[in-house]
Amino acid sequence: MTPKTPEPNLPEGSFMRILILGGDGYLGWPTAMRFSARGHEVHVVDNELRRRAHEQAGTDSLTPTRRLPERVAAWRELTGNEIGVTLGDLTDWDVVEAVFDSFGPDAVVHYGEMPSAPYSMKDREHAVFTQSNNVVGTLHVLYAIRDLAPDAHLVKLGTMGEYGTPNIDIEEGFIEVRHNGRSDYLPFPKLPGSIYHLSKVHDSHNLHFACRVWGLRATDLHQGVVYGIRTEETALDDRLLTRFDYDDVFGTALNRFCLQAVIGHPLTVYGAGGQTRGYLNIEDTLRCVELAVANPAQAGEYRVFNQFTQLYSVLQLAELVQKAGAEIGMDVTVHPIDNPRVEAEQHYYNAAHTKLLDLGLRPHLLDETLIESMFSTIERFKDRVIVDHILPKDRWRPIRPR
Ligand code: NAD
Ligand code: USQ
């Protein structure tokens, strides 16, 4: 049984009504349990888009994940805590209006978008779907806060990929710009690398606008790539597991490499492997979101936190996985393949990330022990791996007929 302890950054007894959008997802479900375990009243919304996308592609999460009604029943049975559920689509205004009207949130944690860059780059239909799903859903959320819960703090998941890989240091959302003898503090320039990452840039502009013009309060978490398979709450019972994707469309770099190592597949470094990104453990995602919720933005304030703990190139990550494998007698090979994406493979990368540390984040840093613990969880479920969906199938730059 998880004890009901108040979040340390909140004053004693100040429990909140927290709405988690995308609460069936990799990050949303563990976040819902974390807030519920802390005694907050939690309601989740999800339309199972991610589950349907897997069904359509013939792919699946490594971990078997139960549907939301079953998960919340297991959570109730194990902890005595309730989590409310709405199975509905954020692009449907009637759904959004009804949830905000009845739940009246103090904080809204918004994960509910299509999160994959390769999915968004498949073709026109996937691109249009990604941007309309993400941008329209978020616009509905902004209007719902404005009209139905104007004091609620929006904590929105953006991405470090909004910035791209510029040849200058990346700041946290804003930069002082001097031009023709004048200066201003302006949004940091964005050079996103996929239609999905672009959707997040559009969201960021809409959030900023809603804060400036309507006086909403919002924190835009520009998150790096998340890795990991376990949180304190998912470890309580297999019925509470979160998803773990490793396929070419929804799997992300380190999670994929760990799975590939366990099943003896060469690690799929794309191109030269110098692509550098910010990474963080799933436990740190939960902690960052808790810190943002516990320390809300002011009315009218739009703030950006860069949410990652360590920088790695993909080749460095692959070598780390190879080394961790060697320590336990696994023979892990790294096999660079032709890059299906269009991206810089060697570039400058230096991004600020102090705001969450200043609020009290103490990162779980990546080391061989952590990788080995991922190996052992993957080992438990390795019979479920669909090997045909590991190598990338879609190329981002179309080959034009001559
Ligand atoms: P996920 O796909 O597992 O979770 C997103 C959830 O939102 C899914 O369950 C999906 O069904 C739901 N959803 C999507 N569109 C919806 C809609 N219109 N209405 C209702 N529900 C909808 O993805 P995730 O990895 O948990 O990512 C969560 C958020 O964090 C996303 O916004 C993603 O862009 C962002 N993010 C993720 C990572 C990462 O490495 N996982 C890194 C940076 C940012
Ligand atoms: N990569 C490989 N081999 C692989 C998979 C990926 O070399 O097998 C490379 C990619 O080419 C890229 C880097 O690893 O250069 C990261 O790719 P990824 O698939 O791990 O992450 P990305 O597509 O950027 O998207 C993921 C999440 C997304 C989130 C983003 C954070 O899916 O939701 O927004 O990470 S960030 O990268 O900071 O923008």
Side-chain angles (χ1 to χ4, degrees), residues 115-118 158-162 196-197 200 223-225 250-254 256-257 260 268-270 275 277-279 314 339 341 343:
S116 159
T159 173
M160 283 301 291
E162 293 182 42
Y196 151 71
H197 287 97
K200 296 287 197 184
Q223 181 169 243
V225 190
F250 284 107
T252 51
L254 181 57
R256 270 165 68 75
F257 291 167
Q260 291 165 359
T268 53
V269 168
Y270 295 166
Q275 303 94 306
R277 305 285 184 267
Y279 289 82
V314 272
N339 196 339
R341 305 188 184 192
E343 59 185 355

Side-chain angles (χ1 to χ4, degrees), residues 36-338:
S36 175
R38 298 275 193 267
H40 299 290
E41 192 168 339
V42 175
H43 191 93
V44 301
V45 181
D46 205 293
N47 69 347
E48 301 189 326
L49 167 73
R50 180 68 168 259
R51 290 177 188 264
R52 277 195 306 283
H54 271 311
E55 271 166 32
Q56 282 159 10
T59 49
D60 200 359
S61 160
L62 172 76
T63 44
T65 57
R66 307 205 171 207
R67 296 187 63 213
L68 269 175
E70 284 183 66
R71 288 167 149 184
V72 300
W75 178 245
R76 182 189 313 115
E77 181 195 312
L78 291 159
T79 68
N81 295 325
E82 289 291 341
I83 294 177
V85 175
T86 298
L87 290 176
D89 191 331
L90 297 171
T91 65
D92 180 346
W93 170 249
D94 292 343
V95 168
V96 179
E97 184 181 38
V99 168
F100 274 79
D101 221 10
S102 59
F103 188 66
D106 301 309
V108 180
V109 180
H110 182 13
Y111 290 109
E113 299 197 333
M114 198 303 297
S116 159
Y119 181 98
S120 75
M121 296 296 290
K122 270 180 183 290
D123 53 25
R124 177 179 52 81
E125 284 90 348
H126 287 79
V128 171
F129 173 78
T130 300
Q131 292 211 353
S132 51
N133 184 66
N134 294 0
V135 177
V136 172
T138 298
L139 257 182
H140 282 165
V141 171
L142 291 172
Y143 271 90
I145 295 178
R146 186 189 82 158
D147 296 339
L148 302 166
D151 288 329
H153 173 209
L154 174 61
V155 176
K156 160 74 169 54
L157 271 291
T159 173
M160 283 301 291
E162 293 182 42
Y163 300 117
T165 52
N167 199 32
I168 57 170
D169 291 347
I170 295 170
E171 303 301 327
E172 292 196 70
F174 289 83
I175 185 169
E176 168 103 27
V177 176
R178 294 183 177 280
H179 181 62
N180 291 347
R182 304 180 66 83
S183 72
D184 205 344
Y185 193 56
L186 294 170
F188 195 90
K190 304 269 174 102
L191 289 168
S194 76
I195 294 283
Y196 151 71
H197 287 97
L198 265 165
S199 75
K200 296 287 197 184
V201 175
H202 303 328
D203 287 340
S204 292
H205 285 138
N206 288 344
L207 259 64
H208 192 187
F209 178 87
C211 293
R212 284 186 288 125
V213 175
W214 303 333
L216 266 48
R217 54 181 94 224
T219 304
D220 197 339
L221 298 172
H222 282 29
Q223 181 169 243
V225 190
V226 184
Y227 62 85
I229 198 165
R230 175 194 185 280
T231 72
E232 211 178 304
E233 291 77 20
T234 65
L236 288 174
D237 190 290
D238 273 1
R239 290 172 294 168
L240 304 179
L241 284 169
T242 196
R243 62 170 47 265
F244 184 87
D245 292 310
Y246 59 88
D247 59 280
D248 59 324
V249 173
F250 284 107
T252 51
L254 181 57
N255 287 351
R256 270 165 68 75
F257 291 167
C258 288
L259 179 127
Q260 291 165 359
V262 171
I263 64 163
H265 191 289
L267 307 194
T268 53
V269 168
Y270 295 166
Q275 303 94 306
T276 302
R277 305 285 184 267
Y279 289 82
L280 73 162
N281 188 289
I282 188 169
E283 277 285 5
D284 288 338
T285 293
L286 269 46
R287 182 64 185 144
C288 291
V289 168
E290 275 185 288
L291 287 168
V293 167
N295 299 277
Q298 302 297 310
E301 184 187 8
Y302 167 76
R303 58 183 190 178
V304 176
F305 296 166
N306 290 350
Q307 181 167 312
F308 68 93
T309 59
Q310 290 171 289
L311 292 178
Y312 287 102
S313 72
V314 272
L315 195 54
Q316 285 172 329
L317 274 187
E319 285 167 356
L320 209 61
V321 171
Q322 188 173 41
K323 197 158 161 245
E327 303 236 324
I328 52 168
M330 279 163 58
D331 183 17
V332 181
T333 55
V334 178
H335 181 56
I337 56 175
D338 207 18

